[in-house]
Amino acid sequence: MSGRAAPLRAGAARWRRSSRTTAARACRPSLVAAAWTVWGRLRTLRRPEIGPHEFLMTPHALDWSPQVYARIGGLLYLVIIAFGFFAEGYVNSQLIVAGDPAATANNIAAAPLLWRISLAGNLLVPVLAVGLLVVEYVLLKPVSRPLVLLAVFFNLVSLAVEAVSKINLLEMHALLSDPVYAQAFAAPQLQALARFALESHDIAWNIALLFFGFTCLVNGYLIFKSGYLPKAVGLLLQAAGLSYLVACTTALLLPALANALLPGILLPVLVGEASFCLWLLIKGVDVVQWKARAGQ
């Protein structure tokens, strides 16, 4: 949902840190309740008069408490942050040498397993972010359905571009690991092609984060107006959105300025996204206020 590119590639993900174990313990009861609810619903499929279609069309088939959605969302956010930090922050900082494709290729060849694990993390992040997107829609819909749909569409575009950007990383991996390419191209050519694939990934990644920046702005406004989530969290998330917009725009159009702004420009990203993640995990939402806004 989850930032991220060169020059942002290692930047934003480096700032996104994992939560504390107390937060994980706080979310366990709600997660167990959610799993138990799903199991109870699935058991109804054993009744011959209730088929899968009737189950899915049953009102409130997955009508969990907003607190359960909040815990699930916080956990998903935490996993996304952890994967993003590992793949974009740690691994890339260890293996990718800016402006030196030969050194980058040698580093990846020397640590193929680490690079593959990083690829897996990069591929899982947009998948998990789809689940987080659903949670955010459910939690923020009572404030304004049109605005939350706007945030959903911004986020969907962001995730689609992000997912496509991973093709470049897979192409880079193939260029550096497949012996067919080693036979067809000289080493400097392979390294230049791999660098081109990496830079293409970075460009697409920044475009994805531009849309995610708008997502943060809209979601931050909805949180601020909700009454069941802290106004401060909404303001911090909006600050994160503005940081994404500035960092990504400069990375695409004014890279020298982007380098001068990093890593400070990404500090609001750390604070804004971490505050939202931790609040969902530890506190959740004010259920009474949420139900009042939802008309329940």
Side-chain angles (χ1 to χ4, degrees):
M1 136 247 239
S2 2
R4 308 160 169 168
L8 288 184
R9 186 183 63 254
R14 187 183 308 117
W15 290 107
R16 304 173 111 190
R17 307 289 179 169
S18 61
S19 179
R20 296 163 177 80
T21 50
T22 54
R25 284 198 293 269
C27 74
R28 283 174 189 164
S30 295
L31 293 176
V32 171
W36 186 254
T37 302
V38 173
W39 171 245
R41 296 295 182 180
L42 291 175
R43 289 183 63 190
T44 63
L45 293 177
R46 297 174 60 186
R47 294 165 52 188
E49 69 272 16
I50 298 181
H53 176 72
E54 289 77 6
F55 168 75
L56 293 175
M57 296 303 292
T58 300
H60 313 300
L62 292 177
D63 190 11
W64 301 331
S65 163
Q67 205 70 307
V68 175
Y69 280 102
R71 298 294 193 256
I72 294 174
L75 182 60
L76 286 173
Y77 218 144
L78 183 60
V79 175
I80 290 170
I81 290 172
F83 281 177
F85 168 73
F86 174 76
E88 296 290 338
Y90 173 72
V91 175
N92 285 359
S93 66
Q94 295 294 311
L95 302 183
I96 295 176
V97 181
D100 193 341
T104 298
N106 291 333
N107 290 342
I108 293 175
L113 180 59
L114 184 62
W115 180 249
R116 287 190 177 94
I117 295 174
S118 172
L119 286 176
N122 268 305
L123 293 172
L124 280 173
V125 164
V127 175
L128 297 174
V130 172
L132 179 59
L133 171 63
V134 174
V135 169
E136 291 172 344
Y137 172 78
V138 172
L139 292 180
L140 298 176
K141 183 176 67 172
V143 183
S144 171
R145 190 168 183 271
L147 284 180
V148 79
L149 284 175
L150 178 63
V152 165
F153 288 134
F154 274 132
N155 212 348
L156 284 174
V157 173
S158 174
L159 291 174
V161 176
E162 179 181 348
V164 171
S165 75
K166 304 313 171 187
I167 295 175
N168 300 117
L169 292 181
L170 295 172
E171 288 175 343
M172 180 181 176
H173 176 69
L175 286 168
L176 297 176
S177 62
D178 194 330
V180 173
Y181 294 107
Q183 295 173 3
F185 298 98
Q189 292 175 315
L190 271 180
Q191 294 163 4
L193 288 172
R195 179 178 179 179
F196 176 75
L198 181 62
E199 290 179 349
S200 298
H201 164 263
D202 293 342
I203 292 171
W205 196 219
N206 279 292
I207 294 173
L209 287 182
L210 276 176
F211 284 93
F212 184 66
F214 286 111
T215 301
C216 291
L217 287 176
V218 179
N219 280 343
Y221 173 79
L222 292 171
I223 292 170
F224 182 84
K225 300 293 287 185
S226 68
Y228 48 81
L229 287 166
K231 292 182 182 293
V233 172
L235 292 174
L236 290 172
L237 193 61
Q238 286 191 307
L242 288 173
S243 294
Y244 274 130
L245 293 180
V246 173
C248 294
T249 302
T250 55
L252 290 168
L253 303 178
L254 300 167
L257 177 59
N259 286 329
L261 293 175
L262 288 172
I265 188 64
L266 296 175
L267 181 59
V269 171
L270 163 66
V271 177
E273 294 201 73
S275 64
F276 188 33
C277 167
L278 294 178
W279 191 271
L280 291 179
L281 265 176
I282 300 171
K283 291 291 188 179
V285 301
D286 185 329
V287 177
V288 174
Q289 292 294 328
W290 185 90
K291 289 184 176 182
R293 292 297 297 262
Q296 296 183 6

